[in-house]
Amino acid sequence: MSGQVYIRPIGLVPGPQSEHGNAIRLAGGMVYASRLAVILRRDGEVVERWLAAPDTMGEVLGRLPDELGAEGEAQWANLTLAHPPLQLGTRTVPLDQPQVMGILNVTPDSFSDGGRFLDDAEAGRAHAAAMVEAGAAIIDVGGESTRPGAKPLWEGDEIKRVVPAIEACAGMGAAVSVDTRKAAVMESALDAGAHLVNDVSGLAHDPRSVEVVAQAGCPVVLMHAPGAAHEDLHTGGAYTSVVFDVFDALRARRDVALEAGIEARNILLDPGIGFGKSLAENLALMNALPLFHALGHPLLLGASRKRMIGALSKEAPVDQRLGGSVVLALEGMRAGVQMVRVHDVAETVQARNVWRGLRDAALTDFADLPAKAPV
């Protein structure tokens, strides 16, 4: 019988002092975990679940079957792994605090802002500059819509769309990522000044894409989509347990990337909110985000203006989903996610800054502790 272990942080606290030091700093960020669930799964079914704190984790890991002991130890180490900054051209993006990635779509049919910046290069340039000014650490340029039902785009047309936008963004000194699943587009984008590849297929759509990223030595975001190897990214979304299935799928794509020579420090992971998942499945993933730190890589969350927000807010149209987008971004930050990909940069950066202020204040607040340790 096949088996797998998962270590899921379930008790998050403002700072370690609130637990008398019995808490871990999650992924080297601004979130602390004091209670964790160690979950044993066999053939798709959860068969054991133990609760642990940092000081009892060794004992709980000792209960695992011998063949899963090393994996449990690795996940436990990954949960406290501090990630080095991303070096993107002349820009250094630290990952010890949440960063904001701004979206620049140059498509005619994006679900959110399709057509707005495709035919007006100056408007796109101004929008990118405004996002950088507002605090975006990275501008993510995409030329192919990935909404449900969108038609595939020939790589030549995609290149014509994204290269001028990337050149403009790079020319203003911005860190730039390219949102594509095609190797030829990745090559052209990197030549034009892009610093990071954001692949919604997790490098599964184009067989050559893994080689391109490995040779470039650039960071890459591997996102989960059930139809990653097909034209329709949203097809095939049948899960035994969406949280564990997505975790396993991301680990598999990560392993492919590592085997191809992509350095571990250059890999970011994205659970793919909204891609081939129901409302309930999206909510389950949002609530389980801290688990994904156990894979040992920085996390990116892309939930801005997604369909789930409309479903929870009386079918609010795309341009009226700001409040829900900010809430989901903040939930990601509370889970220790290092990067949130958003349309509304200024509002999200403001929310992030206030959230960080609360975190900083909590970390230095010892008011409810005794002046002297008990004898």
Side-chain angles (χ1 to χ4, degrees):
M1 297 175 67
S2 59
Q4 187 51 257
V5 61
Y6 309 86
I7 304 180
R8 176 176 175 174
I10 56 173
L12 304 180
V13 294
Q17 71 271 24
S18 63
E19 293 287 339
H20 295 189
N22 194 21
I24 61 169
R25 186 181 180 189
L26 200 57
M30 304 182 73
V31 176
Y32 292 82
S34 63
R35 194 168 176 82
L36 307 101
V38 179
I39 301 159
L40 179 61
R41 190 179 183 220
R42 289 193 184 280
D43 297 325
E45 298 292 333
V46 173
V47 295
E48 293 281 356
R49 184 178 188 270
W50 301 279
L51 295 181
D55 62 353
T56 63
M57 182 58 73
E59 174 190 344
V60 172
L61 291 179
R63 301 177 190 175
L64 291 173
D66 291 343
E67 68 272 16
L68 295 177
E71 173 66 16
E73 294 285 354
Q75 288 191 27
W76 177 229
N78 285 339
L79 286 170
T80 59
L81 183 64
H83 303 291
L86 294 176
Q87 192 62 48
L88 306 176
T90 60
R91 286 183 173 258
T92 300
V93 179
L95 298 177
D96 58 351
Q97 58 185 297
Q99 300 291 346
V100 175
M101 173 187 281
I103 299 169
L104 179 61
N105 286 322
V106 282
T107 65
D109 56 349
S110 170
F111 84 97
S112 178
D113 50 7
R116 184 179 173 193
F117 305 119
L118 177 59
D119 298 320
D120 191 340
E122 185 55 40
R125 188 178 299 110
H127 182 58
M131 289 193 289
V132 172
E133 180 69 20
I138 303 172
I139 303 300
D140 190 43
V141 179
E144 180 184 45
S145 175
T146 54
R147 63 179 174 80
K151 294 182 178 180
L153 182 67
W154 177 55
E155 62 188 25
D157 289 337
E158 189 175 343
I159 289 170
K160 291 178 182 178
R161 291 178 182 179
V162 301
V163 164
I166 290 169
E167 290 175 339
C169 292
M172 67 178 71
V176 187
S177 65
V178 59
D179 179 1
T180 186
R181 51 182 173 162
K182 302 182 181 74
V185 180
M186 294 174 191
E187 290 173 320
S188 296
L190 292 168
D191 288 343
H195 309 99
L196 180 151
V197 170
N198 180 14
D199 186 350
V200 292
S201 79
L203 299 178
H205 177 76
D206 188 328
R208 204 167 59 85
S209 60
V210 178
E211 177 186 350
V212 169
V213 172
Q215 289 183 349
C218 66
V220 61
V221 178
L222 307 178
M223 195 197 81
H224 174 269
H230 308 287
E231 293 296 344
D232 185 355
L233 292 160
H234 301 267
T235 190
Y239 309 98
T240 302
S241 172
V242 67
V243 170
F244 300 134
D245 291 352
V246 171
F247 184 99
D248 292 345
L250 282 176
R251 177 174 47 206
R253 294 312 305 165
R254 183 274 313 272
D255 289 348
V256 168
L258 291 174
E259 290 169 7
I262 298 174
E263 295 185 51
R265 64 181 179 87
N266 279 337
I267 297 173
L268 295 85
L269 302 175
D270 178 351
I273 299 295
F275 282 79
K277 301 168 183 81
S278 68
L279 173 60
E281 289 162 347
N282 285 319
L283 292 172
L285 284 169
M286 287 296 306
N287 283 329
L289 284 174
L291 164 69
F292 291 91
H293 292 295
L295 288 168
H297 300 273
L299 303 179
L300 182 145
L301 175 67
S304 179
R305 301 187 186 178
K306 289 286 176 75
R307 173 72 184 84
M308 65 180 294
I309 300 171
L312 294 170
S313 52
K314 300 180 180 179
E315 301 301 330
V318 171
D319 61 354
Q320 295 179 29
R321 297 177 184 173
L322 172 60
S325 297
V326 172
V327 166
L328 292 178
L330 286 172
E331 282 301 302
M333 295 176 201
R334 292 189 187 106
V337 166
Q338 288 84 1
M339 189 84 61
V340 289
R341 180 180 181 272
V342 304
H343 299 84
D344 304 290
V345 169
E347 294 85 351
T348 307
V349 168
Q350 183 181 79
R352 187 273 311 274
N353 292 346
V354 173
W355 177 86
R356 178 176 176 176
L358 291 168
R359 285 287 168 175
D360 288 340
L363 195 58
T364 56
D365 182 5
F366 295 86
D368 64 348
L369 299 180
K372 295 182 179 180
V375 177

